[in-house]
């Protein structure tokens, strides 16, 4: 009988050290660290999007020196809304970092996690509205619309269009990260 257990290798018994479950405190702390990192990533994404869109402008010369065509993000209210929304969400994410640090230190905070889930959901809706409305205008700028009598102007303003298209990437990355934050916070709350 002894030979059978030796041949099979070391067995994990119910009471052994290797079979013990991971403590809730350690898992909560890991979730809190991941929460902090994701908040930093989302803040950087929204900041980069706001800066890229806010600094996008291009001027094309015409036949004479005195007549020029300009493209600026301020020309379209949707792009202005996009910059404002990304700035608001970035400020919120930076202001929520100390709360995330508190969650790393004190893993038992449930009410502040619930507050963050509610605020994260509101910021997700705001960021989605800004990014989707800007995406619609960028698509119209690239492809135009015969129904709206809007001609594609990205052939003339190539640098402007590349910049506004690139600014959407950081915003959509931040949307995915905030969705992950909501799921992560919900899992941390449910473990309590």
């Amino acid at each position: 009988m002894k030979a059978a257990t030796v041949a099979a290798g070391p067995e994990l018994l119910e009471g052994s050290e290797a079979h013990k479950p991971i403590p809730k405190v350690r898992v909560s702390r890991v979730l809190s660290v991941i929460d902090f990192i994701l908040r930093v990533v989302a803040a950087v994404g929204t900041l980069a999007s706001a800066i890229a869109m806010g600094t996008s402008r291009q001027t094309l010369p015409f036949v004479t020196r005195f007549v020029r065509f300009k493209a600026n993000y301020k020309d379209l209210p949707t792009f202005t809304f996009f910059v404002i929304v990304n700035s608001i969400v970035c400020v919120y994410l930076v202001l929520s970092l100390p709360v995330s640090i508190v969650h790393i230190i004190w893993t038992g905070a449930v009410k502040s996690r619930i507050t963050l889930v509610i605020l994260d959901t509101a910021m997700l809706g705001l960021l989605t509205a800004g990014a989707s409305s800007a995406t619609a205008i960028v698509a119209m700028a690239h492809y135009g619309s015969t129904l709206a009598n809007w001609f594609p102007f990205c052939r003339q303003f190539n640098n402007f269009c590349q910049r506004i298209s690139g600014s959407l990437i950081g915003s959509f990355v931040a949307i995915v990260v905030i969705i992950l934050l909501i799921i992560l916070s919900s899992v941390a709350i449910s473990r309590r």
Side-chain angles (χ1 to χ4, degrees):
M1 195 160 170
K2 249 185 176 177
T5 54
V6 172
E11 291 183 18
L12 296 177
L13 300 175
E14 288 290 324
S16 70
E17 286 290 322
H19 194 276
K20 289 185 179 177
I22 301 172
K24 283 186 175 184
V25 173
R26 188 183 321 165
V27 173
S28 295
R29 187 156 289 136
V30 169
L31 290 176
S32 297
V33 169
I34 293 171
D35 179 85
F36 179 80
I37 292 169
L38 289 177
R39 286 186 188 282
V40 170
V41 169
V44 168
T46 55
L47 179 65
S49 291
I51 290 172
M53 182 69 81
T55 58
S56 61
R57 60 184 56 89
Q58 185 177 359
T59 303
L60 293 178
F62 195 56
V63 178
T64 66
R65 291 185 330 183
F66 304 110
V67 178
R68 295 181 180 203
F69 294 113
K70 294 182 180 182
N72 193 351
Y73 87 97
K74 291 181 184 178
D75 296 336
L76 295 165
T78 306
F79 291 159
T80 305
F81 176 66
F82 178 81
V83 171
I84 291 169
V85 162
N86 275 287
S87 301
I88 289 171
V89 173
C90 181
V91 168
Y92 161 73
L93 288 168
V94 169
L95 291 177
S96 69
L97 287 176
V99 178
S100 187
I101 291 171
V102 167
H103 291 158
I104 293 171
I105 297 168
W106 186 45
T107 59
V110 176
K111 291 181 181 179
S112 60
R113 284 190 193 270
I114 292 172
T115 304
L116 279 181
V117 167
I118 292 168
L119 292 174
D120 286 346
T121 305
M123 293 299 138
L124 175 65
L126 193 62
L127 190 60
T128 303
S132 59
S133 63
T135 302
I137 298 300
V138 168
M140 296 248 313
H142 279 285
Y143 305 113
S145 173
T146 55
L147 297 174
N149 230 5
W150 187 318
F151 299 105
F153 63 85
C154 281
R155 293 182 188 140
Q156 292 83 18
F157 295 99
N158 194 19
N159 292 338
F160 177 76
C161 288
Q162 285 178 353
R163 196 153 177 111
I164 61 175
S165 298
S167 69
L168 296 174
I169 295 170
S171 193
F172 280 109
V173 166
I175 288 172
V176 171
V177 169
I178 291 176
I179 290 171
L180 292 175
L181 281 171
I182 293 170
I183 293 170
L184 195 69
S185 294
S186 300
V187 167
I189 292 170
S190 69
R191 294 188 56 80
R192 287 279 144 211

